[in-house]
Amino acid sequence: MTSTRATLSQVAERAGVSLASTSRALHGAGASKAMVERVRAAAAELGYRPDAVGRSLRMKKTFQVAFAVADIGNPVYVEMMRAIHGVLAPHGYRVVVMTTGDTTASTADLVRSLNSGFVDGMVISPLRTDDRLIREIQQAPVPVVVIGRALDDHGISSVSTDSAGGIGAAVRHLHETGRRRIGFLNGPLDTTPGEARQRGFDAAVLAGACPEGSEAVVAEDFTVAAGLVAARRLLAREGLDAVVAANDLLAIGAIHAARELGLAVPDDLAVTGMDDTEIGRVFCPSLTSVSLGSTERGRAAAQLMLRLAEDPEQQAQQVAVGPALIVRESSEFTASDRSER
Amino acid sequence: MTSTRATLSQVAERAGVSLASTSRALHGAGASKAMVERVRAAAAELGYRPDAVGRSLRMKKTFQVAFAVADIGNPVYVEMMRAIHGVLAPHGYRVVVMTTGDTTASTADLVRSLNSGFVDGMVISPLRTDDRLIREIQQAPVPVVVIGRALDDHGISSVSTDSAGGIGAAVRHLHETGRRRIGFLNGPLDTTPGEARQRGFDAAVLAGACPEGSEAVVAEDFTVAAGLVAARRLLAREGLDAVVAANDLLAIGAIHAARELGLAVPDDLAVTGMDDTEIGRVFCPSLTSVSLGSTERGRAAAQLMLRLAEDPEQQAQQVAVGPALIVRESSEFTASDRSER
DNA sequence: GCAGCGACTGGAAACGATTCCAACTGATGG
DNA sequence: CCATCAGTTGGAATCGTTTCCAGTCGCTGC
C-alpha cells in the first residue's frame, strides 16, 4: 500500500549524470543516444514516473479540465461528461467534476475559484446566468466554455442549442399528426432551459400550431415526481389530446399521470419529451423526444476547450448544435385510432 | 478571459512584510493581530488566491481523489460518483473521473499511474480482478479503496455488497409469491458481478427455491439491448413464470421481450432487477429490484478514503453494505390473478 | 537592572520538475 | 594548427507555497 516514489534527481544520481540531462533524456530533445539509453535504464530500474505536481508548477499547466454542472446525476450532464472525458482523456487531460450549486452566486464563486489554478480550463453548464456570472467568466484566468446559452456578444466561448426551436418542432409534429389541443409541461421558468422552452412553445402557439387552444403548467423541477404532480393539474383541463414536456423526465411524469386517469398513450394522449435520454428510449411506450445532442454538445465543448488550452491566445468561439425530433411510440397513432375518436 | 493571478510574494511586497509572515498571517497560526490585518488587506486588494499547485508541491497533498470505473455513464456508477462527490467536496477535495478500460491490464495500468502523484487516493470499482491488479493496488503510493469485492485477505480497503445474497432474496421472494419456474438472466460471467450473481442464483436453486426447475442465460452485456436478445432465448423455454435479471437494464430488456410474446408483466411473468436505479423506479410497470445501496457504498468508500487521506498510517478497512429487496409492480400479483392460472 | 521567557518576524531551504545559459567536447574547414 | 561550430552536458534559476531555524523585541519576575 505504500511504496515510495522515485524522483528525477534519484534517477539522475543512479544514472550518474546531471539533473538537466536526465530531464532532457526522458523528455526527448537534445540528448545523445547513449545518454538517453543510460537514463532510460536508470528510470526503468527505479520505476520512475514524473511527478505531476512538480511538472505542473514548472510548466504552468495542470493537464486538468473542470466540468461543472448543477447536478452530476442528471442524465443529460452524464452524457456530456462522458463525451467530454472521451475527447479529453486521449489528449492526456484529466476531468475534474464540480457542482455549481443552485444559485448564480454559487456558480460565480465556482468560476472565481479558478484563480487557484488547479485546472487549465472549465466547461460549465449553468442553469441560470446573470451579469456577475458573465463577468467572472470573462475575467477567469483560464478559458471557460459555456454549454447552454449562446454568449457570443460577451466574447465567451459557448456551445448552444435551439431548445426553443426544438419545442416548436415537437408541437408542429403533434399538429401534423392530428393533435388539436396541446398542453405544455415545463420546468422552472427562471432557468435558462425553462425560459427558452417556454418561448418556443409560445411561439409555436402563436404560429397557429394549436388550432383548438393550448394550456401550460410549470413543474417545480425537471424531475419525474414534479412532472407527475404538475401533469395532474394539466390533464384536469378539458380536451387535451397531447402533452409536450420540457424534458424526458417530465414526460414520463405526464405518462404516469395519464395512466392514473385511464388515458392511453399515445391513443388518447400523445406525449413528447426532450433530451432523448436512455430512460426515454427504453420506456414503454418508447418516448418521442427532441434530441438536443448532449453527446455532440459535450464533444464540441471539449474540442473547443482543447484548442483554447493548447493555445491561450485563441479567440472565443461559438458552436451551435441543432435539435432533432425523434419520433417513437408515445406520439404515434394509427389511422384507426384516430378515426375512432 | 485573461486576468493575471497574484502570488504570495506580491502580497508580501504590498503588505511590506516577509513572505513567511504573509503565509502565516493568511493561514492563521503564529501571527500578530496587526500582521494578520495588514496582510489580509493586501491580499484582498490584490484578489489573492493561493495557488493550488505550489501548495500541493510543498504540502505533498493534492486535495484530489480519483474515481475510476469502466463506464462513467452507467447509472450505478453515476450514483456512486454523486455520493462520493457529496462526501468529499465539503472537505475540500476535488473528484477526478477516470476510466479503467475493459481489461484488468488497463485497470492495473491506471492504478500504476497513481505514481504520478496527481491525487491523494483513488476509489475504484473494477469489473474484473486479477493478481496483477491486486498487486498494483497493494503497491500504490496512495490509498486505494475498492468498491465491489471484499479484499480483506489482501490488506486492501474495500466496500463490498452481497449481490449473490441479493439474487437469492429475489428468487425467494418470487417463490414465496407463488412463482414456480424461474429463469435467470445474467450478464457476462467473467465479471465480478456476473460471477457473484450466478453463484447466488445457483445457490438459491439448490436450496429448493425453484420447485419446478430453472433456466439461465447469459447476455453479452449488462444493457437493455443485450437483455432483450438474451431474454428472447430465455423465454423460448417452456413454462417460465418469473425472470430474475442481474440488473435493472437486463430486466427491462426482459420485459420488452415478454411484451413481444404477448406476456403480461407481472400477471403472466414476474420480473425482478437489481441495483434499484431511477430508470427501474419510473418504468411501467415499476420494477421490483434488489438495491445494492450504490449511494451508500459510494458514501462509505468516500468516508474510508477521507480517513485514509487524512492519516496515511490508517489500517486498511472493510465495509459491507447489505442488499435490500424492493418490491414494486413488476413482481406483484393479486390473489385473483393467481387463481385464474 | 538584568536574566529569562514568550511572542513575532524574516531568511532560507525545501518540494520536483523544466529550461536558460555557459562551458566543454570533438570535428571540420581554412 | 587554430578558429569556429554544432552537439552535449551540468550548474543554477525558477515556478508558488510552507515551514524550519535563528534572531529580535518587549515583558515579567527576581
Side-chain angles (χ1 to χ4, degrees):
Chain A
M1 182 154 45
T2 25
S3 76
T4 181
R5 294 164 42 203
T7 76
L8 191 62
S9 37
Q10 287 170 27
V11 176
E13 193 177 6
R14 176 148 191 125
V17 299
S18 82
L19 195 59
S21 300
T22 311
S23 175
R24 273 188 302 252
L26 290 177
H27 213 272
S32 69
K33 211 129 185 100
M35 175 68 82
V36 169
E37 194 161 333
R38 195 166 170 173
V39 170
R40 283 260 158 80
E45 286 176 51
L46 291 166
Y48 171 76
R49 293 282 292 254
D51 180 78
V53 177
R55 158 185 278 248
S56 289
L57 181 60
R58 177 61 224 235
M59 311 222 306
K60 291 184 154 308
K61 193 154 174 96
T62 60
F63 291 98
Q64 297 194 146
V65 168
F67 177 56
V69 292
D71 170 20
I72 40 178
N74 184 310
V76 173
Y77 296 142
V78 169
E79 226 174 292
M80 285 180 187
M81 182 176 69
R82 178 149 50 170
I84 290 170
H85 183 274
V87 171
L88 259 32
H91 285 83
Y93 286 84
R94 288 182 290 272
V95 175
V96 178
V97 300
M98 316 204 76
T99 50
T100 58
D102 277 338
T103 66
T104 54
S106 58
T107 308
D109 288 347
L110 185 70
V111 173
R112 167 159 280 182
S113 79
L114 291 172
N115 277 314
S116 303
F118 57 95
V119 287
D120 298 336
M122 172 179 268
V123 176
I124 188 170
S125 185
L127 264 187
R128 309 165 221 265
T129 341
D130 69 356
D131 288 347
R132 157 137 189 258
L133 176 56
I134 288 178
R135 211 167 43 244
E136 292 289 359
I137 291 177
Q138 288 167 332
Q139 294 171 354
V142 293
V144 174
V145 174
V146 174
I147 299 185
R149 210 185 111 175
L151 292 163
D152 3 3
D153 41 338
H154 296 95
I156 295 176
S157 292
S158 65
V159 177
S160 60
T161 182
D162 180 14
S163 64
I167 292 290
V171 174
R172 279 196 304 280
H173 155 69
L174 293 171
H175 180 226
E176 285 162 9
T177 51
R179 309 290 173 168
R180 285 294 167 261
R181 199 168 155 78
I182 302 178
F184 182 46
L185 176 54
N186 199 2
L189 293 177
D190 62 344
T191 61
T192 302
E195 184 275 325
R197 291 163 203 196
Q198 188 69 47
R199 198 157 26 81
F201 185 73
D202 294 344
V205 170
L206 273 179
C210 295
E212 299 174 21
S214 66
E215 301 280 352
V217 296
V218 170
E220 291 209 337
D221 207 347
F222 286 99
T223 61
V224 175
L228 172 60
V229 171
R232 284 185 189 133
R233 280 205 316 277
L234 183 62
L235 295 179
R237 322 276 168 92
E238 283 301 306
L240 289 182
D241 55 5
V243 169
V244 170
N247 81 356
D248 279 5
L249 298 177
L250 291 175
I252 288 175
I255 294 179
H256 282 165
R259 293 242 164 95
E260 288 179 353
L261 298 171
L263 294 171
V265 176
D267 296 353
D268 302 325
L269 186 79
V271 175
T272 68
M274 178 166 259
D275 285 339
D276 184 30
T277 56
E278 162 98 1
I279 202 167
R281 283 191 290 271
V282 306
F283 198 74
C284 293
S286 62
L287 198 63
T288 292
S289 191
V290 178
S291 166
L292 298 179
S294 305
T295 295
E296 207 179 333
R297 280 186 290 162
R299 203 178 316 153
Q303 278 157 351
L304 258 169
M305 182 85 270
L306 216 47
R307 259 202 293 284
L308 291 163
E310 306 276 297
D311 172 15
E313 300 309 317
Q314 279 276 334
Q315 281 289 317
Q317 207 172 327
Q318 281 75 34
V319 176
V321 173
L325 179 74
I326 298 166
V327 178
R328 300 203 185 86
E329 295 165 359
S330 71
S331 71
E332 280 176 354
F333 57 86
T334 58
S336 65
D337 291 332
R338 216 48 338 211
S339 57
E340 285 169 16
R341 293 178 72 92
Chain B
M1 183 155 48
T2 26
S3 75
T4 182
R5 294 164 40 202
T7 75
L8 192 64
S9 37
Q10 286 170 28
V11 176
E13 193 176 8
R14 176 144 190 129
V17 299
S18 81
L19 195 58
S21 299
T22 312
S23 176
R24 273 188 302 250
L26 289 177
H27 224 77
S32 68
K33 212 129 184 99
M35 174 70 80
V36 168
E37 194 162 335
R38 195 167 170 169
V39 170
R40 284 262 159 80
E45 286 176 50
L46 292 166
Y48 170 76
R49 292 285 291 254
D51 181 77
V53 177
R55 157 187 280 248
S56 288
L57 180 60
R58 175 61 222 234
M59 311 224 307
K60 292 186 152 306
K61 191 152 173 88
T62 60
F63 291 97
Q64 296 194 147
V65 167
F67 177 55
V69 291
D71 170 21
I72 41 177
N74 184 309
V76 174
Y77 297 143
V78 169
E79 224 173 294
M80 286 181 187
M81 183 177 67
R82 178 148 50 167
I84 290 170
H85 182 274
V87 171
L88 259 33
H91 284 83
Y93 285 84
R94 289 182 290 272
V95 176
V96 177
V97 300
M98 317 204 75
T99 51
T100 58
D102 276 339
T103 66
T104 55
S106 59
T107 308
D109 288 347
L110 184 70
V111 173
R112 167 158 280 183
S113 78
L114 291 173
N115 277 314
S116 303
F118 57 94
V119 287
D120 298 335
M122 173 179 268
V123 175
I124 187 170
S125 184
L127 264 186
R128 308 165 223 265
T129 342
D130 68 355
D131 288 348
R132 159 140 186 257
L133 176 56
I134 289 178
R135 211 167 42 244
E136 293 287 0
I137 292 176
Q138 289 167 331
Q139 295 172 353
V142 293
V144 174
V145 174
V146 174
I147 299 185
R149 212 185 110 175
L151 292 163
D152 4 1
D153 41 338
H154 296 94
I156 295 176
S157 292
S158 65
V159 177
S160 61
T161 182
D162 179 15
S163 63
I167 293 290
V171 174
R172 278 195 306 279
H173 156 69
L174 293 170
H175 180 225
E176 285 162 9
T177 52
R179 310 289 172 167
R180 285 295 169 258
R181 202 169 152 77
I182 302 177
F184 183 47
L185 176 55
N186 199 1
L189 292 176
D190 63 342
T191 60
T192 302
E195 184 273 325
R197 291 163 203 197
Q198 188 69 48
R199 198 155 30 79
F201 185 73
D202 294 345
V205 170
L206 273 180
C210 296
E212 297 175 21
S214 66
E215 301 279 351
V217 296
V218 170
E220 292 208 337
D221 207 347
F222 286 99
T223 61
V224 174
L228 173 61
V229 171
R232 286 185 187 130
R233 282 205 317 277
L234 183 62
L235 295 179
R237 321 276 169 89
E238 283 301 308
L240 289 182
D241 55 4
V243 169
V244 170
N247 80 357
D248 279 3
L249 299 177
L250 291 174
I252 287 175
I255 295 179
H256 282 165
R259 295 242 164 94
E260 288 179 354
L261 298 171
L263 295 171
V265 176
D267 295 354
D268 301 326
L269 187 79
V271 175
T272 69
M274 179 167 256
D275 284 340
D276 184 30
T277 57
E278 162 98 2
I279 201 166
R281 281 191 292 269
V282 306
F283 198 75
C284 293
S286 61
L287 198 62
T288 292
S289 190
V290 178
S291 165
L292 298 179
S294 306
T295 297
E296 206 179 332
R297 279 187 290 162
R299 203 177 317 156
Q303 278 156 351
L304 258 169
M305 176 88 300
L306 216 46
R307 259 203 293 284
L308 291 163
E310 307 276 295
D311 171 16
E313 300 309 317
Q314 277 278 333
Q315 280 289 318
Q317 206 171 326
Q318 282 76 33
V319 176
V321 173
L325 179 73
I326 298 166
V327 178
R328 299 203 185 86
E329 296 165 357
S330 71
S331 71
E332 278 176 355
F333 58 86
T334 58
S336 64
D337 292 333
R338 216 38 350 203
S339 56
E340 285 169 15
R341 292 180 69 96

